[in-house]
């Protein structure tokens, strides 16, 4: 069964009733603009807002700030009023989710019972193609959740300059309740359902891992697509070779999904990419003296403590890199319990314990933490679990000075407003956890190019570096002679590590670090330009809106 929804672009009907709540918006400038333009005020509604409306509310806040600039920058012959209509029209196009596919299909369980599985895929925007977004397995999956996450993906890709539209998928199951054989059946069937409706393909829509999915599921998806939709039936003739109803395999078929194992076209560094991106994102702001002085902290990681909620893929790798660069993890929380050690928790030891016991509870080098780990005393709080964890209820109890959103949508608008009032820096999800989609972009390019990064230049770079050292040595010997023997030229440890040339992992790590640094600088510039203070989220949305708007404006509309 299918329910295929193409959403209308206009939602003006409900906007008037929302305008009354804007009096206490987070920043005075944005508050007055929101009040004037009657943008959505989902940001100030109840403490448990609809997730999609919550994202729309954040979008509206950014749109209200940037609208005048977009009108001013239009270089057309239109009147000021026509320019204003154009800008507001394109903003209305950007905001809603373009397509949502809902599927239901049967599963025969290993015990012979039958069950109906529900799944969804939302495509928020096709301003850039393919669409990009993960597939999660969770009983909490809903249409609103995948729509919200898909819209976040659009803005996330724009913030880090990755040329994809946003998408997201979810299958409504608890994977712990299914065998590996059953999970494979579900994954492969869901792939077929997506393919039948044109919701997967290297140039159409490219999924990736998300909550409770990983390399294994992505490999199943790639194999299923390559062996079904990855074949094209053709009929005709060319030159003297005649063929009829031949199956021609799409050589780009494995680019239909990212996050695959290396053997299936994956890329080195993808597993740790989101966590590594979280580290780089925090690093860019922690090392900025101007921001740290506002928070009453010193730059650098040396004296910082941090707490992580969620010890999954993102939490583990964030913890690992922060620990490596001198920060101290004092607490970790999971669904079944939290642990605490003011002297620090070693990520490798905790990872080994969880692999052996299936939980962090009972870790011998920490004590149980009573109460909410989110409210623990620390410098940096990293919510890396699920959405809407920081709310109006607990926002006033948060002790951290920096909140780094490793998860998608962990902060409600009401909590975000409280954090701004309390002078707490929130590094937003749409920037901070973009490491995953950034490295997915690198993997997608690798699949389309059919060559791994560094393979063509690896030996040339290594030989060039050795020739450079030899050239320096010969120059010194010609100048000073060889009376005491050859003059040794000893490279530094840093150069020695790079002398053999850049591996694929080196290139991926370097590209990710550069992407996160450049995007952070863009957010900082926008924050200063619009006098947003510590409101990094609004600055990130402004950047995303400007970039997506430019694509729509310059491409034009097919039908109006």
């Amino acid at each position: 069964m299918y329910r295929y929804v193409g959403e209308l672009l206009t939602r003006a009907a409900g906007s008037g009733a929302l305008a009354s709540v804007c009096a206490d918006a987070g920043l005075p400038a944005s508050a007055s603009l929101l009040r004037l333009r009657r943008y959505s005020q989902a940001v100030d509604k109840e403490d448990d807002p609809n997730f999609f409306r919550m994202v729309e509310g954040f979008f509206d806040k950014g749109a209200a700030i940037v609208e005048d600039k977009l009108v001013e920058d239009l270089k057309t012959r239109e009147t000021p009023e026509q320019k204003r209509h154009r800008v507001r029209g394109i903003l209305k196009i950007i905001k809603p989710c373009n397509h949502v596919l809902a599927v239901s299909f049967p599963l025969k369980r290993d015990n012979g019972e039958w069950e109906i599985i529900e799944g969804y895929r939302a495509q928020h925007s096709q301003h850039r193609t393919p669409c990009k977004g993960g597939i999660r397995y969770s009983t909490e999956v809903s249409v609103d959740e995948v729509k919200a996450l898909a819209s976040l993906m659009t803005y996330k890709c724009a913030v880090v300059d990755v040329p994809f539209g946003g998408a997201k998928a979810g299958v409504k199951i608890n994977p712990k309740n299914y065998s590996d054989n059953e999970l494979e059946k579900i994954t492969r069937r869901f792939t077929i359902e997506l393919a039948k409706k044109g919701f997967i393909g290297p140039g159409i829509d490219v999924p990736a891992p998300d909550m409770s999915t990983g390399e294994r599921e992505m490999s199943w998806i790639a194999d299923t697509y390559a062996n079904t939709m990855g074949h094209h039936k053709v009929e005709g003739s060319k030159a003297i070779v005649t063929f009829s109803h031949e199956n021609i395999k799409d050589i780009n078929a494995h680019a239909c999904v990212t996050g695959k194992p290396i053997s299936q076209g994956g890329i080195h560094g993808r597993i740790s990419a989101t966590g590594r991106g979280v580290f780089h994102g925090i690093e860019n702001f922690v090392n900025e003296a101007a921001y740290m002085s506002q928070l009453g902290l010193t730059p650098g990681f040396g004296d910082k403590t941090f707490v992580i909620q969620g010890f999954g893929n993102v939490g583990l790798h964030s913890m690992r890199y922060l620990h490596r660069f001198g920060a101290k993890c004092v607490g970790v929380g999971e669904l079944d319990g939290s642990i605490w050690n003011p002297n620090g928790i070693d990520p490798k030891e905790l990872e080994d314990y969880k692999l052996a016991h299936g939980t962090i509870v009972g870790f011998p080098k920490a004590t149980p933490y009573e109460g909410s780990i989110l409210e623990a005393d620390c410098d940096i709080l990293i919510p890396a679990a699920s959405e809407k964890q920081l709310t109006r209820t607990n926002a006033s109890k948060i002790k951290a000075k920096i909140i780094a959103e490793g998860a998608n949508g962990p902060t409600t608008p009401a909590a975000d407003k409280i954090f701004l009032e309390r002078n707490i820096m929130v590094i937003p999800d749409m920037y901070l956890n973009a490491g995953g989609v950034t490295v997915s972009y690198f993997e997608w390019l690798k699949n389309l190019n059919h060559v791994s990064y560094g393979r063509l230049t690896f030996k040339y770079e290594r030989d060039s570096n050795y020739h450079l050292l030899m050239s320096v040595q010969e120059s010194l010997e010609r100048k000073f002679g060889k009376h005491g023997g050859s003059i040794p030229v000893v490279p530094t440890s840093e150069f020695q590590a790079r002398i053999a040339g850049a591996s694929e992992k080196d290139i991926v790590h370097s590209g990710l670090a550069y992407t996160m640094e450049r995007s952070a600088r863009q957010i900082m510039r926008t924050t200063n330009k619009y006098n947003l203070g510590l409101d990094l989220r609004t600055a990130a949305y402004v950047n995303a809106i400007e970039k997506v708007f430019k694509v729509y404006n310059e491409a034009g509309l097919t039908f109006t």
Side-chain angles (χ1 to χ4, degrees):
M1 289 186 292
Y2 297 99
R3 297 181 296 283
Y4 184 60
V5 186
E7 296 206 355
L8 296 176
L9 300 179
T10 55
R11 292 184 177 176
S15 62
L18 300 172
S20 61
V21 205
C22 59
D24 58 349
L27 291 165
S30 59
S32 59
L33 286 167
L34 285 163
R35 196 158 46 237
L36 176 66
R37 291 175 186 148
R38 294 179 175 269
Y39 282 114
S40 165
Q41 291 301 305
V43 293
D44 285 319
K45 285 201 162 185
E46 67 279 357
D47 200 29
D48 184 22
N50 174 285
F51 192 10
F52 184 56
R53 299 298 180 197
M54 181 174 113
V55 176
E56 286 189 322
F58 285 133
F59 172 90
D60 286 340
K61 191 175 180 182
I65 288 173
V66 78
E67 183 184 304
D68 288 340
K69 175 73 164 49
L70 296 176
V71 173
E72 181 184 332
D73 288 348
L74 281 180
K75 306 301 181 186
T76 65
R77 297 179 180 179
E78 296 171 311
T79 65
E81 184 181 6
Q82 289 172 328
K83 289 181 179 180
R84 182 77 60 180
H85 287 322
R86 172 183 289 272
V87 168
R88 290 184 176 177
I90 292 176
L91 291 176
K92 286 180 181 178
I93 292 169
I94 295 171
K95 186 175 166 183
C97 204
N98 287 353
H99 303 103
V100 181
L101 175 68
V103 301
S104 300
F105 55 86
L107 168 71
K108 185 177 181 180
R109 302 290 300 266
D110 293 343
N111 62 7
E113 294 180 359
W114 292 81
E115 187 175 314
I116 298 298
I117 305 295
E118 292 182 31
Y120 308 95
R121 181 71 173 176
Q123 295 175 342
H124 175 260
S125 175
Q126 281 93 1
H127 76 286
R128 296 283 198 194
T129 50
C131 295
K132 192 82 184 72
I135 295 179
R136 58 174 50 186
Y137 289 174
S138 168
T139 54
E140 302 301 313
V141 164
S142 66
V143 172
D144 275 318
E145 183 184 63
V146 295
K147 284 168 62 179
L149 293 168
S151 60
L152 267 178
M153 279 300 299
T154 294
Y155 311 134
K156 186 184 301 183
C157 290
V159 164
V160 294
D161 295 302
V162 169
F164 292 141
K168 189 65 87 172
V171 178
K172 197 165 186 173
I173 60 170
N174 181 352
K176 294 179 180 178
N177 297 337
Y178 296 85
S179 68
D180 289 351
N181 178 56
E182 291 168 339
L183 288 173
E184 182 173 0
K185 286 181 180 179
I186 292 169
T187 304
R188 291 184 181 275
R189 178 61 185 267
F190 187 56
T191 304
I192 293 294
E193 300 300 327
L194 294 177
K196 283 156 64 176
K197 290 295 180 179
F199 272 71
I200 187 172
I204 302 169
D205 193 343
V206 179
D210 199 88
M211 187 186 299
S212 298
T213 59
E215 285 188 336
R216 181 183 66 172
E217 288 76 17
M218 300 307 107
S219 182
W220 290 336
I221 291 171
D223 180 72
T224 304
Y225 181 86
N227 286 293
T228 53
M229 302 301 289
H231 284 265
H232 299 302
K233 229 165 203 174
V234 297
E235 182 177 1
S237 62
K238 184 176 182 181
I240 58 171
V241 180
T242 303
F243 48 90
S244 178
H245 295 290
E246 293 285 341
N247 276 322
I248 307 300
K249 188 166 185 177
D250 181 2
I251 63 170
N252 296 324
H254 275 73
C256 72
V257 66
T258 59
K260 304 180 292 293
I262 300 298
S263 64
Q264 302 301 310
I267 195 169
H268 290 90
R270 175 61 183 86
I271 294 176
S272 63
T274 306
R276 192 177 181 93
V278 168
F279 160 73
H280 284 305
I282 298 172
E283 178 187 38
N284 286 314
F285 287 95
V286 163
N287 288 334
E288 195 66 32
Y291 283 103
M292 291 303 100
S293 64
Q294 289 185 60
L295 302 176
L297 300 173
T298 56
F301 284 115
D303 59 343
K304 304 292 188 299
T305 59
F306 66 96
V307 163
I308 289 184
Q309 182 208 35
F311 195 63
N313 178 280
V314 178
L316 166 63
H317 289 100
S318 301
M319 181 181 178
R320 182 180 292 170
Y321 290 116
L322 287 166
H323 175 82
R324 187 178 300 173
F325 282 82
K328 181 167 64 176
C329 180
V330 293
V332 179
E334 287 246 80
L335 196 61
D336 56 350
S338 303
I339 58 174
W340 176 262
N341 185 347
N343 297 317
I345 299 170
D346 185 271
K348 183 68 171 72
E349 292 177 356
L350 184 59
E351 179 187 11
D352 291 343
Y353 181 86
K354 185 177 179 182
L355 286 172
H357 299 84
T359 179
I360 63 170
V361 176
F363 180 61
K365 294 189 178 181
T367 58
Y369 186 85
E370 302 299 331
S372 171
I373 196 70
L374 296 170
E375 300 167 14
D377 192 9
C378 62
D379 297 312
I380 304 170
L381 172 63
I382 306 174
S386 57
E387 60 267 12
K388 294 188 283 189
Q389 296 299 301
L390 301 171
T391 65
R392 180 185 287 118
T393 305
N394 61 11
S396 59
K397 303 173 188 175
I398 302 301
K399 299 179 180 66
K401 296 299 292 179
I402 300 171
I403 296 172
E405 296 184 334
N408 287 311
T411 307
T412 67
D416 200 53
K417 177 175 177 291
I418 292 171
F419 293 144
L420 282 172
E421 293 169 348
R422 293 185 59 206
N423 202 46
I424 294 174
M425 173 189 282
V426 180
I427 308 177
D429 50 358
M430 59 187 298
Y431 160 70
L432 195 68
N433 63 34
V437 72
T438 300
V439 177
S440 278
Y441 174 50
F442 299 159
E443 180 180 334
W444 182 72
L445 291 176
K446 174 186 175 180
N447 294 157
L448 296 181
N449 291 328
H450 302 280
V451 63
S452 61
Y453 293 100
R455 180 167 180 173
L456 300 180
T457 59
F458 193 85
K459 187 176 186 304
Y460 183 84
E461 289 179 359
R462 182 186 63 189
D463 292 347
S464 297
N465 289 331
Y466 279 117
H467 283 303
L468 175 63
L469 292 177
M470 291 170 60
S471 176
V472 172
Q473 182 178 19
E474 290 174 4
S475 297
L476 291 172
E477 289 172 351
R478 282 196 302 270
K479 176 71 174 177
F480 300 106
K482 299 173 61 175
H483 305 297
S486 298
I487 299 176
V489 176
V490 182
T492 64
S493 58
E494 290 83 3
F495 188 66
Q496 185 67 52
R498 294 170 176 260
I499 203 167
S503 66
E504 180 173 84
K505 182 180 283 190
D506 294 331
I507 293 171
V508 167
H509 286 174
S510 176
L512 174 58
Y514 169 72
T515 299
M516 298 302 290
E517 180 182 357
R518 183 178 63 174
S519 301
R521 297 296 165 197
Q522 291 175 354
I523 291 171
M524 291 176 192
R525 284 195 296 269
T526 301
T527 301
N528 292 332
K529 180 178 179 180
Y530 293 99
N531 193 28
L532 295 175
L534 292 176
D535 193 358
L536 305 181
R537 189 190 313 279
T538 299
Y541 269 94
V542 166
N543 286 349
I545 290 167
E546 286 181 333
K547 294 172 185 178
V548 178
F549 176 90
K550 185 175 182 180
V551 174
Y552 273 111
N553 184 54
E554 294 182 353
L557 301 175
T558 307
F559 301 105
T560 56

